[in-house]
Amino acid sequence: MSQAKILIVEDEKKISRVLQLELEYENYKTEIADNGKDALRLIKEKEWDLVLLDIMIPELSGLEVLRRVRRTDDHTAIILLTARDEIHDKVSGLDLGADDYITKPFQIEELLARIRVHLRKPKQNKAMAAGLSVGELMVDLDGHEVKRADKKIDLTPREFDLLVCLLKNKNIVLTREQLIENVWGYDYYGETNVVDVYIRYLRQKIDKGYHEAYIQTVRGVGYTIKDHNK
């Protein structure tokens, strides 16, 4: 069995180092991020089995990182670490999609037990995410392949990422800012009309020539892919 990969998001170096040593002793692969922006980048760039996410971190708070991650990723297990023993923080974290929380100071044995529980859970959502579809449009994430009515469609990497983001948020209207954040990255500083340009490219390849158009514009808000069967 391959080693589980755990990202430790903690800005207190002594705590993050202790966690890393304990986890690696248990044969987990680990990496550390000490701020929210680095955490978000690493979560998007790499595959993680579990993320230990401290709420009180610089750049972006742990709750903000969680909120952004859950827009497009509902399968990575996330356990919140917080020094604040307040019901509001725990409820907010769970509402945003955290799988669990543990309040500092905690016993390492308890944290390890919770990690084992979440790593044992079947990754049903991840398996489902291997393929995305709406109507006759199919996207194979592993094979990086797109088909409509069994006809293969060639997309650039950016077009593919944009389509995947829209499909993962089917029937939800995403603003240009949300699409830029999730497809181009939080550190993109160009014009938001780049989204309009790439939506036009996608429409040319996905919808042109077909009676049913999947990509919809909601004036003054943004874009969505409509599932007309819903």
Side-chain angles (χ1 to χ4, degrees), residues 96-163:
L96 287 170
D99 296 276
D100 203 351
Y101 62 82
I102 189 165
T103 303
K104 295 189 285 187
F106 50 80
Q107 296 294 319
I108 192 66
E109 291 80 7
E110 181 186 0
L111 178 61
L112 291 173
R114 294 193 188 202
I115 288 172
R116 287 192 293 270
V117 167
H118 289 289
L119 291 179
R120 281 199 300 266
K121 289 181 179 179
K123 298 192 176 182
Q124 295 174 336
N125 289 330
K126 188 171 183 178
M128 289 170 58
L132 297 168
S133 66
V134 59
E136 58 189 9
L137 179 65
M138 309 286 292
V139 175
D140 176 0
L141 295 179
D142 293 333
H144 216 269
E145 189 173 81
V146 179
K147 289 182 178 180
R148 179 161 184 173
D150 291 325
K151 180 182 177 183
K152 187 176 178 181
I153 299 170
D154 292 322
L155 300 180
T156 66
R158 189 76 76 188
E159 291 167 352
F160 183 86
D161 291 345
L162 179 57
L163 178 61

Side-chain angles (χ1 to χ4, degrees), residues 67-82:
R67 184 181 69 82
R68 297 188 187 196
V69 168
R70 284 299 187 237
R71 287 177 184 167
T72 56
D73 178 349
D74 63 355
H75 62 267
T76 301
I78 298 178
I79 298 177
L80 293 178
L81 308 177
T82 175

Side-chain angles (χ1 to χ4, degrees), residues 12-208:
E12 294 185 45
K13 287 183 168 52
K14 287 184 179 179
I15 294 177
S16 62
R17 183 57 180 155
V18 167
L19 287 172
Q20 185 174 47
L21 290 172
E22 293 285 352
L23 292 172
E24 290 185 349
Y25 181 78
E26 297 293 323
N27 203 34
Y28 297 121
K29 288 184 177 180
T30 66
E31 196 165 337
I32 295 172
D34 62 7
N35 65 75
K37 285 189 176 181
D38 284 346
L40 192 61
R41 175 179 55 80
L42 286 169
I43 292 170
K44 289 185 175 183
E45 287 179 355
K46 300 182 180 182
E47 284 286 331
W48 302 98
D49 295 288
L50 187 140
V51 177
L52 294 177
L53 179 60
D54 187 38
I55 287 181
M56 297 296 290
I57 49 176
E59 303 289 347
L60 293 173
S61 73
L63 291 179
E64 180 62 17
V65 171
L66 174 62
R67 184 181 69 82
R68 297 188 187 196
V69 168
R70 284 299 187 237
R71 287 177 184 167
T72 56
D73 178 349
D74 63 355
H75 62 267
T76 301
I78 298 178
I79 298 177
L80 293 178
L81 308 177
T82 175
R84 292 185 283 179
D85 191 16
E86 296 181 6
I87 294 297
H88 174 74
D89 293 321
K90 298 171 182 177
V91 171
S92 295
L94 294 173
D95 283 345
L96 287 170
D99 296 276
D100 203 351
Y101 62 82
I102 189 165
T103 303
K104 295 189 285 187
F106 50 80
Q107 296 294 319
I108 192 66
E109 291 80 7
E110 181 186 0
L111 178 61
L112 291 173
R114 294 193 188 202
I115 288 172
R116 287 192 293 270
V117 167
H118 289 289
L119 291 179
R120 281 199 300 266
K121 289 181 179 179
K123 298 192 176 182
Q124 295 174 336
N125 289 330
K126 188 171 183 178
M128 289 170 58
L132 297 168
S133 66
V134 59
E136 58 189 9
L137 179 65
M138 309 286 292
V139 175
D140 176 0
L141 295 179
D142 293 333
H144 216 269
E145 189 173 81
V146 179
K147 289 182 178 180
R148 179 161 184 173
D150 291 325
K151 180 182 177 183
K152 187 176 178 181
I153 299 170
D154 292 322
L155 300 180
T156 66
R158 189 76 76 188
E159 291 167 352
F160 183 86
D161 291 345
L162 179 57
L163 178 61
V164 167
C165 183
L166 289 167
L167 280 171
K168 284 184 175 180
N169 294 276
K170 249 186 323 194
N171 301 307
I172 297 172
V173 181
L174 298 176
T175 66
R176 290 169 178 81
E177 289 75 17
Q178 287 173 324
L179 289 167
I180 283 176
E181 183 181 292
N182 285 285
V183 178
W184 280 262
Y186 65 86
D187 55 351
Y188 174 79
Y189 295 110
E191 296 294 329
T192 57
N193 64 3
V194 70
V195 174
D196 305 317
V197 172
Y198 274 84
I199 287 288
R200 188 164 67 249
Y201 293 159
L202 267 185
R203 280 179 166 146
Q204 287 287 322
K205 296 180 178 182
I206 299 297
D207 288 334
K208 187 176 180 181

